[in-house]
Amino acid sequence: MELGIGMFGDVHINEKTGYIQTPQQRMAEIIEEVKLMDEVGLDFFGIGEHHRPDYAVSSPEIILAALSTVTKNIRLGSAVSVISSTDPVKLYQDFSTVDNLSNGRAEIMAGRGSFIESFPLYGYDLNNYDELFDEKLRLLLTLNKEEVINWKGNFRKPIVNQTVYPRPIQKEIPIWIAVGGTTSSVIRAGKLGLPIIFAIIGGNPANFEPLFEVYKQAYLDNGHPEEKMQIGVHMHSFFGDDNEVVADKYFPIYGGQMDRIGASRGWPKYTRPQFDYGRSTDGHLVVGDKEMAIDKIQKYKELFGLTRFSAHMDVGAPSHLDMMKSIEIFGKDIAPRIK
């Protein structure tokens, strides 16, 4: 199983003092953090796309291009690229460039995203949410499989006998589909034979088991080889030496970000009992020491048939030093035991 880390590029915010970390500071930290991920042998890194003041990264491919020159082995991808509000041609060019810079280590994770700011920003109509995603995903897949493109859709002018440059080093850039809990998205990924990653960020992860089975059935029913099936999960995670100490230290940071997001969505205040349930045996949080993490990751590997586990590690922007410690524990203590 592949083990890696996903981030959204959260900036540190202190509500009491009004301090907000600059994107410049956070980006510099991300570079150092991913260099460490590479050094400790983690398999992949993914960075999200957001257009909000509490996140530093709006263009994952720019960060990945910088990372490609300071890492050697780790795969570099988005987490996610909001395909519905992106030009797939430009997206593919950018990731092909990253692929060249990284000597064939680029990945694309395509998803709807968890926020809608990119739609008005780039001039798209939310009423076309589903149609945009489907059409643009299919164009992206065409770009990845064919060198000379002839394509026609509803939301852009046709492409006639065009080739996208530069060509990637890999024959095809791996394209993952990221899903929350939408059955139609799961079925689409299975029918297309694409790798899938489930964002499990609340409740009891076992409740997702039927969706995993829907994906597997759609994948196999459409003639895709079982031995090439790839299934992942993306779960909020953070690691330290002591189970309770890391929980006590991380709760205010994690809860603060949940409240900032919740304020715009009408959520109630995030509570310590919610956090503690998330850390329990049946919860969605992988927050604690290495033994807790190993037990939980192994449990969900067996339950879902996972080939990839992505630890979303920067929710709320813990300190850089704590992030480095968490990455080191994941790479040196947790990943080898799981493997």
Side-chain angles (χ1 to χ4, degrees):
M1 185 168 67
E2 294 178 310
L3 293 113
I5 292 174
M7 294 184 185
F8 282 180
D10 296 40
V11 298
H12 184 75
I13 297 173
N14 188 316
E15 302 282 2
K16 294 180 179 178
T17 65
Y19 169 79
I20 300 176
Q21 185 183 30
T22 66
Q24 179 189 25
Q25 291 171 323
R26 184 67 195 113
M27 288 180 196
E29 292 176 351
I30 290 171
I31 299 296
E32 293 304 311
E33 288 160 8
V34 181
K35 285 169 65 177
L36 178 59
M37 294 176 206
D38 190 44
E39 291 167 8
V40 298
L42 291 172
D43 297 306
F44 66 89
F45 168 72
I47 184 71
E49 172 194 342
H50 293 90
H51 307 272
R52 295 166 51 91
D54 42 350
Y55 299 108
V57 179
S58 60
S59 299
E61 51 271 36
I62 301 296
I63 296 292
L64 300 175
L67 288 167
S68 67
T69 64
V70 295
T71 57
K72 296 179 180 178
N73 300 304
I74 194 168
R75 297 196 64 80
L76 301 169
S78 52
V80 301
S81 295
V82 184
I83 190 70
S84 310
S85 57
T86 294
D87 175 11
V89 176
K90 185 64 167 69
L91 183 73
Y92 190 74
Q93 282 182 317
D94 289 345
F95 274 88
S96 183
T97 301
V98 173
D99 203 53
N100 278 270
L101 287 169
S102 65
N103 195 28
R105 292 185 281 130
E107 298 182 346
I108 300 171
M109 188 181 294
R112 299 170 185 270
S114 55
F115 300 96
I116 62 170
E117 287 86 357
S118 61
F119 284 82
L121 184 63
Y122 294 130
Y124 290 99
D125 188 342
L126 276 169
N127 291 322
N128 299 323
Y129 190 83
D130 292 320
E131 295 88 347
L132 281 165
F133 181 85
D134 187 71
E135 179 174 303
K136 292 187 173 205
L137 173 62
R138 292 177 189 276
L139 174 53
L140 181 64
L141 296 176
T142 300
L143 293 163
N144 204 28
K145 290 182 180 298
E146 301 174 14
E147 188 163 337
V148 179
I149 307 301
N150 286 281
W151 180 90
K152 185 177 181 180
N154 296 318
F155 294 100
R156 61 166 293 163
K157 290 185 177 180
I159 302 173
V160 181
N161 291 332
Q162 294 286 308
T163 299
V164 175
Y165 298 107
R167 304 306 302 166
I169 294 222
Q170 300 175 90
K171 183 179 179 182
E172 294 182 11
I173 296 174
I175 297 176
W176 288 71
I177 296 296
V179 299
T182 306
T183 304
S184 60
S185 296
V186 173
I187 293 172
R188 181 195 289 115
K191 284 183 175 180
L192 294 171
L194 296 172
I196 192 168
I197 188 158
F198 290 82
I200 302 180
I201 55 174
N204 184 340
N207 293 334
F208 277 73
E209 190 173 9
L211 281 177
F212 283 82
E213 295 306 316
V214 165
Y215 170 78
K216 293 173 187 177
Q217 194 66 49
Y219 182 97
L220 296 172
D221 285 351
N222 284 270
H224 303 295
E226 186 173 6
E227 67 274 13
K228 291 187 177 181
M229 186 186 298
Q230 296 183 74
I231 301 174
V233 293
H234 166 99
M235 301 176 75
H236 292 168
S237 308
F238 206 74
F239 313 119
D241 291 323
D242 182 278
N243 210 28
E244 297 307 319
V245 170
V246 70
D248 289 342
K249 189 172 184 179
Y250 188 45
F251 167 69
I253 298 168
Y254 184 85
Q257 181 66 347
M258 291 299 100
D259 287 341
R260 280 188 288 274
I261 296 170
S264 63
R265 300 185 177 184
W267 296 350
K269 291 281 285 185
Y270 189 78
T271 66
R272 182 61 192 253
Q274 284 178 274
F275 183 73
D276 290 339
Y277 172 76
R279 294 181 59 248
S280 71
T281 303
D282 294 327
H284 66 285
L285 295 176
V286 189
V287 175
D289 62 19
K290 62 184 179 183
E291 298 301 331
M292 177 281 308
I294 290 165
D295 289 346
K296 270 200 166 182
I297 295 169
Q298 188 65 25
K299 172 183 176 179
Y300 295 125
K301 177 184 185 297
E302 294 171 0
L303 179 63
F304 300 132
L306 299 179
T307 62
R308 175 175 280 203
F309 177 85
S310 175
H312 183 172
M313 201 179 282
D314 68 337
V315 180
S319 76
H320 179 55
L321 288 177
D322 287 342
M323 284 288 295
M324 296 290 273
K325 177 73 173 180
S326 182
I327 292 164
E328 189 169 22
I329 291 171
F330 191 34
K332 290 186 176 180
D333 299 328
I334 297 170
R337 289 268 300 278
I338 293 289
K339 293 192 173 190

